[in-house]
Amino acid sequence: MSSKLSDWFKERLGLDDLPFFKTPDYMYKVDYWLGALVASAFIYTVITGLILLLYYNAQAGYNSTEFVINSVPYGSVVLYSHLYGAYAMIILAYVHMFRNYFAGAYKKPRELLWIIGVIMLVLTLGTAFLGYSLIGDALATSAVDVGEGIISSIPGLSIFIPLLFGNYDAGDYGRVLAWHIIFTALIGLLFVFHFFMAEHYGMMPSRKVKDKVPAVYTKEEWQKFNPWWPRNFVYMMSLVFLSWGFILIIPNALAYLNGLPQQLNPFLNPKPAPPPNSPAAAHITTYPPWFFLFLYKIADFTSDVLIFLFIGVIIPLIYLILVPFLDRTEYLHPLKRKVFVGIGILMATYLIQTTIWGDLTPGVEIPVGQQVLVYLPPAIIVALGLTAIKPRTDNKGNIKGTISPITVLAFVLASSLFVIAGIELLANPTILTVGIFIPLAGIFVLTTKKIAPIALKAEQKSENMAISEERVPEWKKKLAEGLVAVLFIYAVVLAAQIWTIPATGYFSNLFGVDLGLIFLMLGEGISLYHYVVYRK
Amino acid sequence: MIRFKSDKEDKPILDYSNLTFIRKLTRKMRDPKTKFDTKEFINRGEDYLFNYTNKNVGSVDEKRRKFLKSLIFGIAAAAVVGVIPGLKVLVPPTVTVTSGFPKSLLVDSSGNPIKASQIPVNSPFIVIFEYPMTGEPNFLINLGDSSGKPVEIPSTIVEVPQTGKTYTFPGGVGPNKSIVAYSAICQHLGCTPPYIHFYPPQYVGPSQLTASEPDQLTAAALLAAKQAKVPALIHCDCHGSTYDPYHGGSVLTGPTVRPLPAVVLEWDSSTDYLYAIGAVGVAAYPNGSNGVPTNNPNEDLSSSFGSPVGDKTTVQETENPFSS
Ligand code: FES
């Protein structure tokens, strides 16, 4: 029955003839699907954004935000998850970008794909900034004020302020809302190009298959892979629902956290701050949204706006856009293009470092000496580390044993967090800093352990292993089948329970948590289905 | 299901899904497009058959696949069922009062009615109640002269400088006709307390010229108060707009071009209770149509944001700005 139905759709929609890339077995790993994750966060955010559009009144930004949260049925669920959908999109976009950077995915013939991706990142950050401003709370207005300040201090640019923000000071957010939507539409448009280009070139083949540019499968090669329908579709759906589940669960659970310390507020608090003209606004430290904390900190380094813009925005951006033309080597292996990999690691490290720094000391000016103290060590570590690691080759001259880019990112993140927590602990030893330091130290040790054996002595793995999937023993499939049944039972129980949650008020956020859990189960169920049915 | 009758028990030999599977397989084998290659089969044996069925008919494990599929569709159905209550988000909110102002009893934070004769005269505290919608604060002030004696506030004609139009302010209520209520949202750019608040007579003097925000007075405000011969003011520290509480909240100094809207109060002399029964003046900022203030005092009631306060509204003493 269902196969007849799917055949029907398959014929009507011509699914077999779609020019979509066919996927080899080894690519069904999340590494290769980061773009799909970004896209699903984007789609989620667009859907919830359209719902919010039904309620948001640009003439009364803060009031209508409060209205959505307090009076619209499940309004806070929609609003908070819209916010976190955007957060997820930003984080995933960074991960997606750095992963492809380290994998050399910007190289021939993917230069344009890469550049469009960078532009999309800029647009995403811009959209996020505008969306954040729409809340109209004290933080949002101060963020816009800072934005305005930056623009107006560049000679000749102040004419853009009314163009961009309209009559913002008078509480009219019409322009901000309009640009928020226009930017989103632009992202959508570029996404179409980005997506079809990616489908056209196909995903990056594993380095073990093709370690030189152009890293594409020929048409003859990829004709033999799994067709897009239904396996890719099934795998993609599992990713979509999993990410939607997290986007729903996290903010709605966080809504129940109260009285966070200031440092955690910008990262974990989905609720708006008090309105700018209220007495309470006087008592809050203003800080920008977390994704701009790094810029906020860089602004403390210099009083010259142009220098600030060059360091914080223009140079990194130009570098990212130009990198496909700067890195002309034909090798994809990270260790064969150490300079670029080094720059990449430093960019990621500095981004995280500066963000955390901005969070710890918002708006506090930093003398040059301290800046050097913070930014020099990672540079030295990376430079020494990269020169020390020699790519090992086997007798055929192929490079063996590699560290996955994700592991590198995790390592960089863990070590910078570790270093910062250490500095913070030395600077003011309190229970809080000790409490933060110990788990971070643990994580650092663990990631180092994971990376050390690979980095020190290249792993002995036969090349074919990674390419062909290992056969899955029957009992594992049986287990997966059982798990799907368990998930089904839980989903039904939760679905029944979800109807009893009040639509507004304190408990309404549980709806988001429960719905997110059901989405997780659906995603996990589909992923297990994929495992049982498609894995060999 | 085809059953094979043996002497001891029924033995199912072929259930329906197996039958369709075989039918499908044999059809594919005959189909010239996907012809089963017997030579290949002899060469490669089972492997070829396995691959062939996998490619043409689907996995041999059709039944298991179906079972799993039905479970997944079950979870998907649960997700749909779960989303349904969420669709309430699409139902537009109903605004119950669009025709007139509610009559609301002023009560204190524990729900007891406020007694008019017990409201302190010239209190420096910011005393606020929401009316007619939630989120729309109004000052409640018992006005007195510079020696602290209540002053009777007569009805006056108030002019809106922006349009040149006028309306009538009904005057004070209470045992001494000295109690008034004005919107606490500045008509200039919408600043709310503590930036805008009442300055009792002892704070209307040169010493406030150098006071810190939000208690500063501008020289223009002091001069205007003198000329109008009023001992006390409502002043907004954001940009210096000044209003005259003794004359219906009319404009003393700009930048505002609109007087403060007033809440019409009613005093029940038998119980000493106070009621808010309406409002006069331009609609409260910024909830008028498109944020452009109108002359229609009902305008903000048709706004879809905020809900009417109902038949009770709580009077709160938020803070004394001068003490900090
Ligand atoms: S908002 Fe009150 S004077 Fe400008």
Side-chain angles (χ1 to χ4, degrees), chain B residues 186-191 196 236-241 243 254-256:
Chain B
C186 183
Q187 288 289 310
H188 174 227
L189 287 181
C191 275
I196 180 170
C236 177
D237 225 29
C238 284
H239 318 91
S241 296
Y243 305 89
T256 179

Side-chain angles (χ1 to χ4, degrees), chain B residues 6-56:
Chain B
S6 75
D7 38 68
K8 276 188 188 147
E9 58 198 21
D10 271 0
K11 225 180 195 174
I13 52 164
L14 204 59
D15 80 7
Y16 181 69
S17 62
N18 289 340
L19 188 66
T20 42
F21 175 73
I22 289 175
R23 247 186 34 219
K24 219 170 170 184
L25 182 63
T26 44
R27 217 189 312 137
K28 288 274 177 190
M29 282 177 152
R30 263 183 263 122
D31 188 339
K33 258 197 277 170
T34 51
K35 190 123 183 65
F36 188 73
D37 191 342
T38 33
K39 266 190 222 141
E40 219 18 65
F41 179 53
I42 293 163
N43 281 344
R44 289 173 46 207
E46 236 174 34
D47 247 11
Y48 175 71
L49 179 65
F50 183 77
N51 274 338
Y52 178 86
T53 29
N54 243 339
K55 215 168 103 206
N56 289 303

